[in-house]
Amino acid sequence: MLLDIVLLVLGAVLLWFGAGWVVESSAAVARRLNISELVIGLTVVAMGTSAPEFFVTAQSAFKGLPAISLANVVGSDIFNLGIILGAMAILKPIPTHRTILYRDGVMLWAVVGVLLLMCTQGALTRPMGLGLLVIFGGYVALLVYKGIRDPGPMDIAMAEELLEEAGDRVATWIDGPKLIIGFAAITLGSDWLVEGARVVAAALGVSDWAIGLTVVAAGTSLPELVTCLAASLRGKNDMLLGNLIGSDFFNLAGVLGLTAVMRPISVDPSSLPSLGLMVGAVALVLLFMRTGWRISRLEGALLVLVGLGRWALGFV
C-alpha cells in the first residue's frame, strides 16, 4: 500500500503543476487571439482550474468507479465552500457582494438542487448530463455577455485576480508544448490519484465514496487552495468567494455534465444524504453572505466544522 500512497501523493502534485501550466498557457493563447481580459479571467482561467476535477471524475467513471467519480465533485464542493472558505474567513473576514449572492450564489444553489433531484433517479444519464451542460453553457454565456456589454465592478475585480495567477503575457511558441505537457501531467496525475485512492480505500476497509469525498477531492482542489492562499497573502481575500463559487459551479454543472454525457454515472442510494447536506450547506453559505455582507471569523469556523462533519458522514 505504501507504493499506492506515494502514487496518490504524486498524482495530486502532477494535477497541481499540470493545471498551473494549462491555465497559464491557455490565458496566453486567448490573449494572442485578442479575447477580452475580463472574459479570459472569468472563463478560460476559471475553467482551467477545474481541469483536475474533470480528468479525475472522467477517469473514475471510465474505470468503473462511479462512487469516486461523483464523490470527487461533491468533496470538492465541501473543500472549497467549507474548509477553504472557512479557513480564509478565520484568517480575515471576507466581504461579500450582491452580485455574488444573487447571481452566482443562487445559481450554484439551484444547480445543487437540480443535481440532487437527478441523483434520486439512481444515475446521471446522458440526457441529464446534457441538461447540466445546457445550464453550464447558459451561465458562461451570461458571464461573457456581461463581460463584453456591461461588466460590473466585482466581475472586473475577480477577472483581474484570476489573471494575476495566470500572468499577463501573450502566447509564444513555448505555450503549445506547455499545454501538451500540462494536459499530459493532469491525465497521468488523475490516473495515479484514482488508482492510489482505490487501493488505499480497499486496504483501509473504507468505501470508494469516502475516499473520493476526502483524499481525492482534496487532491483535485489543490489549485483552488493555492490560488486562495496567494490572494489572501496579497490582501485580496474579497475575491475569494466569487472564485470559489464559480469553481464549484463549473465542477457541478460542467464537469459532471460532460462526464455523464461521455459515460453515465450510477448513483448509490447511500450517497444521497451527503448530496442532501450539500444543498443545505450551500444555503448556509448564502445566509452567511447576507448577514452583514461579510463572512465573519465565527461563520468561517462554523463552515470548517460543517465541512469536516460532511466528511465524517461520508465515512459513516
Side-chain angles (χ1 to χ4, degrees):
M1 189 176 71
L2 179 60
L3 176 59
D4 292 289
I5 293 175
V6 171
L7 282 178
L8 193 152
V9 173
L10 287 177
V13 172
L14 279 176
L15 287 174
W16 176 20
F17 281 105
W21 279 24
V22 167
V23 166
E24 179 189 346
S25 293
S26 296
V29 170
R31 201 174 282 113
R32 171 67 69 182
L33 297 175
N34 294 320
I35 297 175
S36 161
E37 292 282 293
L38 189 142
V39 173
I40 294 172
L42 293 178
T43 57
V44 176
V45 178
M47 285 187 282
T49 60
S50 293
E53 282 87 353
F54 169 69
F55 276 81
V56 168
T57 299
Q59 285 265 15
S60 302
F62 280 98
K63 286 177 178 288
L65 301 169
I68 291 181
S69 186
L70 181 59
N72 171 49
V73 174
V74 175
S76 292
D77 165 79
I78 296 172
F79 201 76
N80 289 344
L81 292 185
I83 296 170
I84 294 179
L85 179 61
M88 295 300 104
I90 291 172
L91 292 176
K92 185 179 179 182
I94 299 174
T96 63
H97 189 272
R98 289 180 181 275
T99 299
I100 298 175
L101 173 61
Y102 294 121
R103 185 191 70 189
D104 306 317
V106 172
M107 177 67 78
L108 174 64
W109 185 73
V111 167
V112 170
V114 169
L115 177 64
L116 174 61
L117 290 176
M118 289 178 173
C119 288
T120 59
Q121 304 305 306
L124 288 177
T125 63
R126 285 190 172 92
M128 291 177 182
L130 186 60
L132 289 173
L133 285 180
V134 169
I135 295 173
F136 173 72
Y139 178 72
V140 172
L142 175 64
L143 290 181
V144 172
Y145 175 81
K146 289 283 291 180
I148 295 174
R149 299 292 299 272
D150 184 28
M154 285 303 297
D155 291 329
I156 295 172
M158 283 192 293
E160 289 175 348
E161 174 59 27
L162 286 165
L163 283 171
E164 189 162 341
E165 296 299 319
D168 58 0
R169 63 183 183 82
V170 177
T172 62
W173 67 269
I174 195 65
D175 287 293
K178 283 185 72 173
L179 272 174
I180 295 172
I181 295 172
F183 278 116
I186 294 174
T187 303
L188 183 60
S190 62
D191 183 58
W192 286 358
L193 189 68
V194 171
E195 280 299 311
R198 180 183 62 80
V199 175
V200 169
L204 296 178
V206 299
S207 66
D208 288 344
W209 174 263
I211 208 74
L213 200 69
T214 54
V215 176
V216 176
T220 58
S221 293
L222 278 176
E224 285 88 353
L225 176 59
V226 173
T227 298
C228 288
L229 285 174
S232 181
L233 290 174
R234 290 196 301 268
K236 295 185 177 181
N237 71 330
D238 54 330
M239 298 298 102
L240 300 180
L241 184 58
N243 294 342
L244 288 174
I245 287 178
S247 177
D248 275 358
F249 182 87
F250 288 160
N251 291 342
L252 292 167
V255 170
L256 275 182
L258 184 56
T259 302
V261 169
M262 295 167 57
R263 179 75 176 261
I265 303 170
S266 61
V267 180
D268 193 289
S270 63
S271 65
L272 294 179
S274 290
L275 290 167
L277 280 179
M278 184 168 67
V279 177
V282 173
L284 183 64
V285 171
L286 299 184
L287 176 64
F288 287 167
M289 289 169 63
R290 182 60 184 86
T291 56
W293 293 108
R294 71 170 191 164
I295 298 179
S296 66
R297 287 188 170 90
L298 176 59
E299 290 167 339
L302 288 174
L303 288 177
V304 172
L305 290 175
V306 168
L308 293 176
R310 289 168 66 195
W311 269 3
L313 178 65
F315 278 99
V316 172

